[in-house]
Amino acid sequence: MGMRLFTADAMRRADRRAVALGYPSLLLMEAAGRAVARAVREHFPDARAVWVVAGKGNNGGDGFVAARWLFLWGYRVAVYAPDGQAGDAAQARKALEAHGVAVRPLEALDLEGAEVVVDALVGTGLSRPLAGVYAEVAARVNASGLPVVAVDLPSGVPFTPHVRADVTVALAGLKREHLFYPARAACGRIVLDGIGMPEAALEAPELPELLTPEAMRALLPERPGNAHKGSVGRVLVAGGYATYTGAPALAALGAYRAGAGLVTLAYPEGVPLEPLLEVVRLPLAAWRAEALRAARAEAVAVGMGAGPGGPEAARAALELGLPAVLDADALVPEVVAACRGRPVVITPHPGEAARLLERRAQEIAAHPLEAARALAERYGVTVVLKGGPTVLAEGAHLAVNTTGSAAMATGGMGDVLSGVIAALLAAGLRPWDAARLGVYWHGLAGDRVGRVGLLAHEVAEALPQAREALISDAVRPFWV
Ligand SMILES: NC(=O)C1=CN([C@@H]2O[C@H](COP(=O)(O)OP(=O)(O)OC[C@H]3O[C@@H](n4cnc5c(N)ncnc54)[C@H](O)[C@@H]3O)[C@@H](O)[C@H]2O)[C@@H](O)CC1
Ligand SMILES: [K+]
């Protein structure tokens, strides 16, 4: 089973399924609280005094459990919470108080002497922005500068105000707030703990898939020992325009670094292309399919730096009937609308997606999952909606990438990605597999180069070693 990205509702359903399977919910809370206590011990090994702020729901219950274990491990512990817990959370509170640990009201919060704060005010049960004493506690915790370990989610996200955590212990599964900004920025380092939740309870194929190293490794095309340059994928890159001489070259580089055997670059005659020794050049007087056939390609990437010639280049490339990646200047509604049901991957950024959906780019960026799904529905193609994180859609399937960083928001990065996906299509992968693996691998390569100042060609250069790392099991997802 692939890993899924949960919403609060979906996690509640998983909870109920676990209970229906016979799994006692108090055991989940015990495991959750203990995982939080362990996270405190591991991430702040020098701390001896931990203050816990807890709410009325199960998130608070996890906080009481964490406080009990920290107390038993010899920490100085102070716990602040309102009265009125019920069910498991009330039990967890009693178990803590049985050790003689007093729970004081939130209003009495005094952070003097604390070395770490555990934030267990609210988790997935948040129903409105924090206000009153909760908002005050969040503000005081933030202002204290003390390290914060959040239980499941930093309390208050995705609204403001919210707690800003250094470590967030995600329970049972990752939620949207752990992946998407601005909430993600409040999480700090994210560690996922399974809390003993039965696998069957977590099965939720309707939810977006999270791209994991295991799942992506399985998609890597094999490279037979007797491969030759014509047998592992021939890619045609079509693009370029007066001032955009680097974009198609970067796509060609991406395709080669992702394993293509031969890359041909078609571009308008007279465009002074960046030199790339290994690329076969195909200068054209006009964008015509007959001319492009000469490349004998198995997949095509079109649109990178094509300027106003983008739509024409795309029409000619699509006439070849090959699996295709449409990017940049090829992403106009009339062109994409002709691709329904064909093996076509489109790779818009929010601005291009806005053009295709006739919406505002801010709207797309604020609701990327919904936008990717809408694009897939409207155009009947495989969608790669680039962003932090990149979101993918095909038919009813959604996926969210887990590699890459804001360092990859630089010129040419998307061109490399188009080349990578085209190489994977040429190697025989289905569009959904080529798109998911391409996005994941590209991000992984970026992560290996650095966190700021990345150049697109460096990311392309890092693709082979990222692949080696993936194959040799040396890649850990960000939540481990
Ligand atoms: N399967 C799971 O994921 C498990 C989840 N557990 C914990 O349970 C949490 C969810 O528990 P609940 O559904 O009880 O919800 P929470 O405890 O997250 O929040 C609900 C409580 O917060 C109050 N509340 C909501 N919005 C508020 C606001 N703005 N200001 C002040 N109070 C507010 C509600 O009235 C209610 O008392 C998870 O985040 C996790 O920490 C664990 O106990 C173990 C199992
Ligand atoms: K919390």
Side-chain angles (χ1 to χ4, degrees):
M1 187 192 73
M3 227 178 122
R4 302 287 157 183
L5 183 60
F6 286 84
T7 57
D9 270 346
M11 194 44 88
R12 267 190 286 278
R13 286 196 296 276
D15 253 346
R16 280 200 295 273
R17 276 198 298 272
V19 171
L21 286 166
Y23 205 95
S25 57
L26 193 57
L27 282 189
L28 294 174
M29 184 173 283
E30 182 67 11
R34 215 175 148 135
V36 171
R38 265 200 318 269
V40 170
R41 192 169 62 184
E42 272 166 35
H43 293 275
F44 305 100
D46 299 331
R48 302 310 308 154
V50 182
W51 273 212
V52 178
V53 292
K56 280 190 194 178
N58 288 333
N59 196 255
D62 300 346
F64 296 133
V65 174
R68 170 160 45 85
W69 282 106
L70 289 164
F71 174 78
L72 288 170
W73 294 339
Y75 285 80
R76 264 196 321 123
V77 168
V79 185
Y80 297 89
D83 289 334
Q85 286 79 14
D88 291 343
Q91 305 267 69
R93 177 169 178 159
K94 278 189 209 145
L96 171 68
E97 289 170 334
H99 286 282
V101 178
V103 177
R104 280 169 275 183
L106 284 175
E107 288 80 358
L109 178 65
D110 178 1
L111 290 166
E112 192 65 45
E115 289 165 356
V116 174
V117 178
V118 169
D119 160 35
L121 289 174
V122 209
T124 55
L126 188 84
S127 54
R128 57 194 181 278
L130 295 183
V133 67
Y134 281 72
E136 242 164 72
V137 168
R140 289 185 52 201
V141 167
N142 290 341
S144 72
L146 290 166
V148 175
V149 176
V151 179
D152 208 11
L153 291 169
S155 298
V157 297
F159 306 118
T160 310
H162 56 249
V163 170
R164 278 194 313 273
D166 296 276
V167 176
T168 295
V169 185
L171 303 171
L174 293 185
K175 331 273 161 12
R176 288 188 183 193
E177 291 82 355
H178 296 128
L179 270 291
F180 290 97
Y181 289 86
R184 182 175 182 168
C187 292
R189 169 140 187 214
I190 293 165
V191 265
L192 173 63
D193 194 282
I195 67 170
M197 181 76 84
E199 278 266 303
L202 290 173
E203 232 156 271
E206 74 283 3
L207 297 176
E209 175 190 350
L210 277 173
L211 302 186
T212 59
E214 299 74 40
M216 294 304 102
R217 184 183 308 133
L219 295 179
L220 281 169
E222 274 183 38
R223 190 97 175 170
N226 59 351
H228 58 87
K229 67 173 185 265
S231 72
V232 285
R234 287 187 303 268
V235 171
L236 170 67
V237 171
Y241 183 66
T243 48
Y244 304 123
T245 56
L250 284 166
L253 184 63
Y256 264 134
R257 291 299 189 183
L262 197 63
V263 181
T264 302
L265 207 169
Y267 59 100
E269 240 169 32
V271 168
L273 272 195
E274 297 304 321
L276 194 59
L277 298 177
E278 301 82 353
V279 165
V280 180
R281 290 167 183 244
L282 191 59
L284 301 176
W287 288 112
R288 291 198 352 264
E290 300 87 272
L292 296 177
R293 274 203 185 91
R296 295 179 43 238
E298 290 149 309
V300 51
V302 60
M304 297 73 54
E312 220 183 308
R315 278 190 208 99
L318 286 166
E319 248 185 78
L320 302 179
L322 298 170
V325 182
L326 300 191
D327 187 23
D329 302 311
L331 294 175
V332 293
E334 309 80 77
V335 169
V336 184
C339 297
R340 175 168 289 281
R342 296 177 51 173
V344 170
V345 179
I346 63 171
T347 57
H349 57 55
E352 290 153 353
R355 187 162 73 202
L356 293 173
L357 285 174
E358 294 158 283
R359 294 188 198 167
R360 291 180 317 124
Q362 296 95 307
E363 221 179 294
I364 308 274
H367 305 285
L369 281 166
E370 196 276 323
R373 194 198 293 275
L375 280 168
E377 228 165 66
R378 177 140 163 192
Y379 290 101
V381 294
T382 304
V383 177
V384 171
L385 177 55
K386 292 181 282 201
T390 291
V391 166
L392 300 92
E394 184 187 271
H397 301 290
L398 283 171
V400 180
N401 189 33
T402 59
T403 56
S405 72
M408 296 181 76
T410 61
M413 210 59 85
D415 304 319
V416 171
L417 175 65
S418 299
V420 172
I421 297 174
L424 294 171
L425 288 171
L429 266 59
R430 299 180 304 132
W432 184 235
D433 291 346
R436 284 182 302 155
L437 175 59
V439 164
Y440 181 87
W441 186 4
H442 180 250
L444 188 60
D447 289 344
R448 295 177 76 83
V449 178
R451 290 286 163 183
V452 75
L454 302 205
L455 296 180
H457 77 266
E458 294 171 343
V459 171
E461 305 297 357
L463 285 163
Q465 46 137 311
R467 180 179 181 277
E468 291 309 311
L470 191 56
I471 288 175
S472 65
D473 203 14
V475 175
R476 294 282 157 267
F478 73 76
W479 55 85
V480 169

Coordinates of all heavy atoms in Angstrom, one line a residue, residues 53 59-60 118-124 149-156 163, ligand 2:
V53 N 1.8 22.1 27.6 CA 0.6 22.8 27.5 C -0.4 22.0 26.7 O -0.1 21.5 25.6 CB 0.7 24.2 26.9 CG1 1.5 25.1 27.8 CG2 1.3 24.2 25.5
N59 N -5.6 15.6 21.5 CA -4.3 16.2 21.4 C -3.7 16.4 22.8 O -2.6 16.1 23.1 CB -4.3 17.4 20.5 CG -2.9 17.9 20.0 OD1 -2.4 18.8 20.5 ND2 -2.4 17.2 19.1
G60 N -4.5 17.0 23.6 CA -4.2 17.2 25.0 C -3.9 15.9 25.7 O -2.9 15.8 26.5
V118 N 6.2 21.2 25.3 CA 5.4 20.3 24.4 C 4.1 21.0 24.2 O 3.4 21.4 25.1 CB 5.2 19.0 25.1 CG1 4.2 18.1 24.3 CG2 6.6 18.2 25.2
D119 N 3.8 21.2 22.9 CA 2.5 21.9 22.5 C 1.5 20.8 22.2 O 1.5 20.2 21.1 CB 2.8 22.8 21.3 CG 1.5 23.1 20.6 OD1 0.5 23.3 21.2 OD2 1.6 23.2 19.3
A120 N 0.5 20.7 23.1 CA -0.6 19.7 23.0 C -1.9 20.4 23.2 O -2.8 19.8 23.7 CB -0.4 18.5 23.9
L121 N -2.0 21.7 22.7 CA -3.2 22.4 22.9 C -4.3 21.9 22.0 O -5.4 21.5 22.4 CB -3.0 23.9 22.6 CG -2.1 24.7 23.5 CD1 -1.9 26.1 23.0 CD2 -2.8 24.8 24.9
V122 N -4.1 21.9 20.7 CA -5.0 21.4 19.7 C -4.3 20.7 18.5 O -3.2 21.1 18.2 CB -5.9 22.5 19.1 CG1 -7.2 22.0 18.6 CG2 -6.0 23.7 19.9
G123 N -4.9 19.7 18.0 CA -4.3 19.0 16.8 C -5.2 19.1 15.6 O -5.7 20.2 15.3
T124 N -5.6 17.9 15.1 CA -6.5 17.9 14.0 C -7.9 18.3 14.3 O -8.7 18.4 13.4 CB -6.5 16.5 13.3 OG1 -6.9 15.6 14.4 CG2 -5.1 16.1 12.8
V149 N 8.2 21.2 20.9 CA 7.8 20.0 20.2 C 6.3 19.9 20.1 O 5.6 19.9 21.2 CB 8.4 18.7 21.0 CG1 7.9 17.4 20.3 CG2 9.9 18.8 21.1
A150 N 5.8 19.9 18.9 CA 4.4 20.0 18.7 C 3.8 18.6 18.6 O 4.4 17.7 18.0 CB 4.0 20.8 17.5
V151 N 2.7 18.3 19.2 CA 2.0 17.0 19.1 C 1.1 17.1 17.9 O 0.2 17.9 17.8 CB 1.2 16.8 20.4 CG1 0.5 15.4 20.2 CG2 2.0 16.8 21.6
D152 N 1.5 16.3 16.9 CA 0.7 16.1 15.7 C 0.8 17.3 14.8 O 1.2 17.2 13.6 CB -0.7 15.7 15.9 CG -1.3 14.9 14.8 OD1 -0.5 14.5 13.9 OD2 -2.5 14.7 14.8
L153 N 0.4 18.5 15.3 CA 0.4 19.7 14.5 C 0.8 20.8 15.4 O 0.3 20.8 16.6 CB -0.9 20.0 13.8 CG -1.4 19.1 12.7 CD1 -2.9 19.4 12.4 CD2 -0.5 19.3 11.5
P154 N 1.5 21.9 15.0 CA 1.6 23.1 15.8 C 0.2 23.6 16.0 O -0.5 23.8 15.0 CB 2.5 24.0 14.9 CG 3.1 23.1 13.9 CD 2.1 22.0 13.7
S155 N -0.2 23.9 17.3 CA -1.5 24.3 17.5 C -1.9 25.5 16.8 O -1.1 26.5 16.8 CB -1.7 24.5 19.0 OG -1.5 23.2 19.7
G156 N -3.1 25.5 16.2 CA -3.5 26.7 15.5 C -3.4 26.7 14.0 O -4.2 27.4 13.3
V163 N 1.2 28.1 17.1 CA 2.5 27.8 17.7 C 3.5 27.6 16.6 O 3.2 27.0 15.6 CB 2.3 26.6 18.6 CG1 3.7 26.1 19.0 CG2 1.4 26.9 19.8
Ligands
K2 K -0.6 20.5 19.0

